[in-house]
Amino acid sequence: MSTVNSQDDGDTFKILVATDIHLGYLEKDPVRGNDTFVTFNEILDHAKKNEVDFVLLGGDLFHDNKPSRKTVHSCLESLRKYCMGDRPVQFEILSDQAVNFHYSKFPWVNYQDENLNISIPVFSIHGNHDDPTGADALCALDILSCAGLLNHFGRSTSVEKIDISPILLRKGRTKIALYGLGAIPDERLYRMFVNKQVTMLRPKEDEDSWFNLFVIHQNRSKHGATNYIPEQFLDDFINLVVWGHEHECKIAPFQNEQQRFYISQPGSTVVTSLSPGEAVKKHIGLLHVKGKKMKMEKIALETVRTFHVEDIVLADHPDLFNPDNPNVTQAIQAFCMEKVELMLDTAERERLGNPRQPEKPIIRLRVDYAGGFEPFSVHRFSQKYMHRVANPKDIIHFFRRREQKEKKDIDINFGKLVSRPAEGTTLRVEDLVKQYFQTAEKKVQLSLLTERGMGEAVQEFVDKEEKDAIEELVKFQLEKTQRFLKERRTDAVEEKIDEEVRKFRESRKKNTEEEDKEVHEAMMRARAHRSEDEVLVSASSDEDSMDMETTGTSNPSDGLTSTLSRGRGRARGRARGARGQNSTARGSSRRGRGTTSQESASGSRSYKSVSVPGKTPSIMDAFRSSKKGHSSNSFQSYSEDIIDIDSDPEDTSFVPPSSKVNQRLPTLSSFSKRGSQSQASKGVDFESDEG
């Protein structure tokens, strides 16, 4: 097979490929705090020196969903330093950018903005660490995109159907169709692939003349029945897949024998977990594409902190360690010290040839102490290496492998079978929640909620800091169950209600797609409440909360006095609707404001109280209220759209197989553009105090 000519010409794309940069990881660590920023500068420096056409990032540019100001500032500083300049961009975009960037206020690529001077465009999808959240479904990449320093693409706008429309690029006679899909929960995306709800659109004209490049950020290795994306799910017309999320560097393109496309897994550029996969040398890729041929050139990163990991199984050394020996613990500690010293010597030899590499290495010694041994004090052991390694507290990891024994007893205590996961495996919060409730006693079993829904709500609470996620899910499911019972006209007898609730819960568990929608809508409600809280916090200091106003409580930090109890005062209407008080809460202070009943209704959706949480009605409360002719708590429906060069270059060129004819790219009119949500649709109604 012929290869791409290494000499630059007007028909060859040069693309710098990297994934999982994780800016801000351990930023407060005194030793490792700047590692991600230094390596990011090295990546962009390679892009500038190699005069690439653009940089392609495969997700997780940031480690946190809400990166700190230091992290955002450092990222902006690097992008401005390396990606802005007078060097002209040599390729053009042929696709409708209003479709490619339809969620952006500036739906065009940044280098075409007349107010910006971009020399190296950066295209990136979001990962699971920096995915869109909140009522407006924004992420850190959207900040960079709005600033004109990055092009965020690959966002899906629906949880029911995904149409992936490519960015069509042309340089000379080479044409690239760039597809992207930001991180989506693996189980949901797996099910959507199975149900044929994911479509990759193709150009109408000369579809076989395009080099099809797909960027994805999902689990590639199997972590469960549906907690990954099989390579066979992807369309066979793709030429190259850049796979993000997996941290082990396998950047050399590997061909899938069934689908015939190639997969490149660049891996992370920083060590974020002390597992063997992270110990593989870190690389980025320089991808050359000419016509339908490609070449991936590996570039070793020199600023990555070296990482060495080794396993010890004490039971494999019976000549050295006898569990019955009273001094065996001291012998084990001496043996571990010897191993650590050997790893430090190896790391020092590697660093001698690379002055840019950080001085202190990351060392990990995993000790399997099964067989009657006892671990020694890790804290005292780590004190010996405080000034020699970057991770003194994590040098030693003691674990015991689960012993496989045949169980003949019929009654099995599943709680005893739950073992500590092997290091490097991903243990998710929702899995723990599901596992807990499935093995819990009957008296603590869920009777209204499902394990899946509760698990996802807890995951949102832990990962995204959505403090209202669990509460909103409970309210949502309670309201839905109350409506179900009323429609069934169930008698107000506790036994019958319990039976109907149990049946309704089982039917929801079977309909996973419907359950996903419920959880998603509950999360949207939680995010909307958080946005409302942010409005309250950002209000003027004399407009703190309704509770403080009605009780006369003062807040010294805001400079409020006890005069709040005597009246609301003047000039308090700058953000009245955003507070969402109803007429009852505001009481007599509504007099003289000229607010009509219609205005009051439009702004009366109760916002989350700061100090006095409302009581969640029970099932029996709903029946009592229905007998009195009143409905249960009204259910607020949200109408906003769900958003939901080192010495061994690898040359891989191919002539792609005949591609099957897939769906064509529709016209712009067939794409639904996400309109910006007005304040009115959120129930925000600003009014004036004057008059």
Side-chain angles (χ1 to χ4, degrees), residues 418-434:
V418 177
S419 64
R420 191 171 183 177
E423 190 177 10
T425 60
T426 302
L427 186 61
R428 303 175 308 148
V429 174
E430 60 261 42
D431 292 336
L432 287 174
V433 173
K434 184 176 181 181

PDB file of all heavy atoms in Angstrom, residues 418-434:
ATOM      1  N   VAL A 418     -19.293  -9.205  47.885  1.00  0.00           N
ATOM      2  CA  VAL A 418     -18.880  -7.925  47.335  1.00  0.00           C
ATOM      3  C   VAL A 418     -17.444  -7.661  47.758  1.00  0.00           C
ATOM      4  O   VAL A 418     -17.153  -7.492  48.929  1.00  0.00           O
ATOM      5  CB  VAL A 418     -19.793  -6.786  47.821  1.00  0.00           C
ATOM      6  CG1 VAL A 418     -19.297  -5.463  47.293  1.00  0.00           C
ATOM      7  CG2 VAL A 418     -21.215  -7.049  47.388  1.00  0.00           C
ATOM      8  N   SER A 419     -16.561  -7.649  46.799  1.00  0.00           N
ATOM      9  CA  SER A 419     -15.148  -7.485  47.106  1.00  0.00           C
ATOM     10  C   SER A 419     -14.663  -6.132  46.647  1.00  0.00           C
ATOM     11  O   SER A 419     -15.292  -5.470  45.832  1.00  0.00           O
ATOM     12  CB  SER A 419     -14.317  -8.577  46.425  1.00  0.00           C
ATOM     13  OG  SER A 419     -14.406  -8.446  45.036  1.00  0.00           O
ATOM     14  N   ARG A 420     -13.552  -5.754  47.142  1.00  0.00           N
ATOM     15  CA  ARG A 420     -12.936  -4.501  46.729  1.00  0.00           C
ATOM     16  C   ARG A 420     -12.479  -4.633  45.291  1.00  0.00           C
ATOM     17  O   ARG A 420     -11.800  -5.594  44.934  1.00  0.00           O
ATOM     18  CB  ARG A 420     -11.744  -4.203  47.631  1.00  0.00           C
ATOM     19  CG  ARG A 420     -11.202  -2.801  47.465  1.00  0.00           C
ATOM     20  CD  ARG A 420     -10.182  -2.528  48.529  1.00  0.00           C
ATOM     21  NE  ARG A 420      -9.691  -1.174  48.453  1.00  0.00           N
ATOM     22  CZ  ARG A 420      -8.829  -0.669  49.321  1.00  0.00           C
ATOM     23  NH1 ARG A 420      -8.403  -1.388  50.327  1.00  0.00           N
ATOM     24  NH2 ARG A 420      -8.404   0.583  49.201  1.00  0.00           N
ATOM     25  N   PRO A 421     -12.859  -3.684  44.414  1.00  0.00           N
ATOM     26  CA  PRO A 421     -12.500  -3.831  43.010  1.00  0.00           C
ATOM     27  C   PRO A 421     -11.002  -3.723  42.793  1.00  0.00           C
ATOM     28  O   PRO A 421     -10.306  -3.060  43.550  1.00  0.00           O
ATOM     29  CB  PRO A 421     -13.237  -2.664  42.335  1.00  0.00           C
ATOM     30  CG  PRO A 421     -13.368  -1.645  43.419  1.00  0.00           C
ATOM     31  CD  PRO A 421     -13.545  -2.417  44.697  1.00  0.00           C
ATOM     32  N   ALA A 422     -10.557  -4.403  41.751  1.00  0.00           N
ATOM     33  CA  ALA A 422      -9.142  -4.313  41.395  1.00  0.00           C
ATOM     34  C   ALA A 422      -8.801  -2.887  41.025  1.00  0.00           C
ATOM     35  O   ALA A 422      -9.594  -2.170  40.427  1.00  0.00           O
ATOM     36  CB  ALA A 422      -8.838  -5.256  40.233  1.00  0.00           C
ATOM     37  N   GLU A 423      -7.624  -2.444  41.362  1.00  0.00           N
ATOM     38  CA  GLU A 423      -7.216  -1.064  41.102  1.00  0.00           C
ATOM     39  C   GLU A 423      -7.188  -0.804  39.606  1.00  0.00           C
ATOM     40  O   GLU A 423      -6.736  -1.626  38.812  1.00  0.00           O
ATOM     41  CB  GLU A 423      -5.842  -0.811  41.694  1.00  0.00           C
ATOM     42  CG  GLU A 423      -5.449   0.638  41.669  1.00  0.00           C
ATOM     43  CD  GLU A 423      -4.120   0.856  42.340  1.00  0.00           C
ATOM     44  OE1 GLU A 423      -3.446  -0.127  42.641  1.00  0.00           O
ATOM     45  OE2 GLU A 423      -3.760   2.024  42.546  1.00  0.00           O
ATOM     46  N   GLY A 424      -7.705   0.332  39.211  1.00  0.00           N
ATOM     47  CA  GLY A 424      -7.737   0.674  37.797  1.00  0.00           C
ATOM     48  C   GLY A 424      -9.099   0.456  37.181  1.00  0.00           C
ATOM     49  O   GLY A 424      -9.401   0.997  36.137  1.00  0.00           O
ATOM     50  N   THR A 425      -9.958  -0.379  37.845  1.00  0.00           N
ATOM     51  CA  THR A 425     -11.298  -0.567  37.331  1.00  0.00           C
ATOM     52  C   THR A 425     -12.168   0.593  37.781  1.00  0.00           C
ATOM     53  O   THR A 425     -11.940   1.196  38.823  1.00  0.00           O
ATOM     54  CB  THR A 425     -11.906  -1.886  37.835  1.00  0.00           C
ATOM     55  OG1 THR A 425     -11.946  -1.856  39.267  1.00  0.00           O
ATOM     56  CG2 THR A 425     -11.071  -3.071  37.374  1.00  0.00           C
ATOM     57  N   THR A 426     -13.191   0.890  36.998  1.00  0.00           N
ATOM     58  CA  THR A 426     -14.066   2.011  37.276  1.00  0.00           C
ATOM     59  C   THR A 426     -15.252   1.538  38.096  1.00  0.00           C
ATOM     60  O   THR A 426     -16.038   0.713  37.644  1.00  0.00           O
ATOM     61  CB  THR A 426     -14.557   2.640  35.968  1.00  0.00           C
ATOM     62  OG1 THR A 426     -13.425   3.050  35.207  1.00  0.00           O
ATOM     63  CG2 THR A 426     -15.430   3.849  36.254  1.00  0.00           C
ATOM     64  N   LEU A 427     -15.380   2.024  39.317  1.00  0.00           N
ATOM     65  CA  LEU A 427     -16.516   1.704  40.170  1.00  0.00           C
ATOM     66  C   LEU A 427     -17.376   2.943  40.256  1.00  0.00           C
ATOM     67  O   LEU A 427     -16.984   3.939  40.842  1.00  0.00           O
ATOM     68  CB  LEU A 427     -16.036   1.276  41.552  1.00  0.00           C
ATOM     69  CG  LEU A 427     -17.115   0.761  42.515  1.00  0.00           C
ATOM     70  CD1 LEU A 427     -17.777  -0.476  41.926  1.00  0.00           C
ATOM     71  CD2 LEU A 427     -16.512   0.432  43.865  1.00  0.00           C
ATOM     72  N   ARG A 428     -18.544   2.888  39.674  1.00  0.00           N
ATOM     73  CA  ARG A 428     -19.382   4.069  39.561  1.00  0.00           C
ATOM     74  C   ARG A 428     -20.352   4.150  40.731  1.00  0.00           C
ATOM     75  O   ARG A 428     -20.749   3.146  41.299  1.00  0.00           O
ATOM     76  CB  ARG A 428     -20.134   4.058  38.238  1.00  0.00           C
ATOM     77  CG  ARG A 428     -19.228   3.977  37.017  1.00  0.00           C
ATOM     78  CD  ARG A 428     -20.036   3.856  35.749  1.00  0.00           C
ATOM     79  NE  ARG A 428     -20.981   2.768  35.874  1.00  0.00           N
ATOM     80  CZ  ARG A 428     -22.183   2.771  35.286  1.00  0.00           C
ATOM     81  NH1 ARG A 428     -22.559   3.798  34.586  1.00  0.00           N
ATOM     82  NH2 ARG A 428     -22.992   1.743  35.426  1.00  0.00           N
ATOM     83  N   VAL A 429     -20.739   5.380  41.038  1.00  0.00           N
ATOM     84  CA  VAL A 429     -21.618   5.605  42.172  1.00  0.00           C
ATOM     85  C   VAL A 429     -22.957   4.924  41.949  1.00  0.00           C
ATOM     86  O   VAL A 429     -23.507   4.290  42.857  1.00  0.00           O
ATOM     87  CB  VAL A 429     -21.810   7.127  42.397  1.00  0.00           C
ATOM     88  CG1 VAL A 429     -22.844   7.374  43.475  1.00  0.00           C
ATOM     89  CG2 VAL A 429     -20.494   7.762  42.784  1.00  0.00           C
ATOM     90  N   GLU A 430     -23.514   5.030  40.736  1.00  0.00           N
ATOM     91  CA  GLU A 430     -24.824   4.425  40.506  1.00  0.00           C
ATOM     92  C   GLU A 430     -24.785   2.911  40.642  1.00  0.00           C
ATOM     93  O   GLU A 430     -25.770   2.280  41.040  1.00  0.00           O
ATOM     94  CB  GLU A 430     -25.390   4.827  39.128  1.00  0.00           C
ATOM     95  CG  GLU A 430     -24.535   4.421  37.937  1.00  0.00           C
ATOM     96  CD  GLU A 430     -23.700   5.571  37.447  1.00  0.00           C
ATOM     97  OE1 GLU A 430     -23.150   6.296  38.290  1.00  0.00           O
ATOM     98  OE2 GLU A 430     -23.583   5.744  36.239  1.00  0.00           O
ATOM     99  N   ASP A 431     -23.634   2.303  40.322  1.00  0.00           N
ATOM    100  CA  ASP A 431     -23.498   0.854  40.516  1.00  0.00           C
ATOM    101  C   ASP A 431     -23.525   0.506  42.000  1.00  0.00           C
ATOM    102  O   ASP A 431     -24.131  -0.499  42.408  1.00  0.00           O
ATOM    103  CB  ASP A 431     -22.195   0.364  39.882  1.00  0.00           C
ATOM    104  CG  ASP A 431     -22.213   0.461  38.369  1.00  0.00           C
ATOM    105  OD1 ASP A 431     -23.322   0.466  37.806  1.00  0.00           O
ATOM    106  OD2 ASP A 431     -21.140   0.534  37.752  1.00  0.00           O
ATOM    107  N   LEU A 432     -22.858   1.322  42.818  1.00  0.00           N
ATOM    108  CA  LEU A 432     -22.873   1.084  44.259  1.00  0.00           C
ATOM    109  C   LEU A 432     -24.281   1.217  44.830  1.00  0.00           C
ATOM    110  O   LEU A 432     -24.697   0.417  45.676  1.00  0.00           O
ATOM    111  CB  LEU A 432     -21.931   2.070  44.954  1.00  0.00           C
ATOM    112  CG  LEU A 432     -20.425   1.831  44.784  1.00  0.00           C
ATOM    113  CD1 LEU A 432     -19.648   2.980  45.402  1.00  0.00           C
ATOM    114  CD2 LEU A 432     -20.013   0.521  45.428  1.00  0.00           C
ATOM    115  N   VAL A 433     -25.005   2.238  44.376  1.00  0.00           N
ATOM    116  CA  VAL A 433     -26.370   2.438  44.864  1.00  0.00           C
ATOM    117  C   VAL A 433     -27.249   1.250  44.477  1.00  0.00           C
ATOM    118  O   VAL A 433     -27.991   0.705  45.308  1.00  0.00           O
ATOM    119  CB  VAL A 433     -26.947   3.753  44.306  1.00  0.00           C
ATOM    120  CG1 VAL A 433     -28.425   3.888  44.657  1.00  0.00           C
ATOM    121  CG2 VAL A 433     -26.176   4.945  44.839  1.00  0.00           C
ATOM    122  N   LYS A 434     -27.154   0.848  43.225  1.00  0.00           N
ATOM    123  CA  LYS A 434     -27.947  -0.289  42.763  1.00  0.00           C
ATOM    124  C   LYS A 434     -27.585  -1.555  43.529  1.00  0.00           C
ATOM    125  O   LYS A 434     -28.458  -2.329  43.944  1.00  0.00           O
ATOM    126  CB  LYS A 434     -27.734  -0.481  41.257  1.00  0.00           C
ATOM    127  CG  LYS A 434     -28.590  -1.576  40.648  1.00  0.00           C
ATOM    128  CD  LYS A 434     -28.384  -1.641  39.145  1.00  0.00           C
ATOM    129  CE  LYS A 434     -29.262  -2.734  38.533  1.00  0.00           C
ATOM    130  NZ  LYS A 434     -29.061  -2.815  37.064  1.00  0.00           N
TER     131      LYS A 434
END
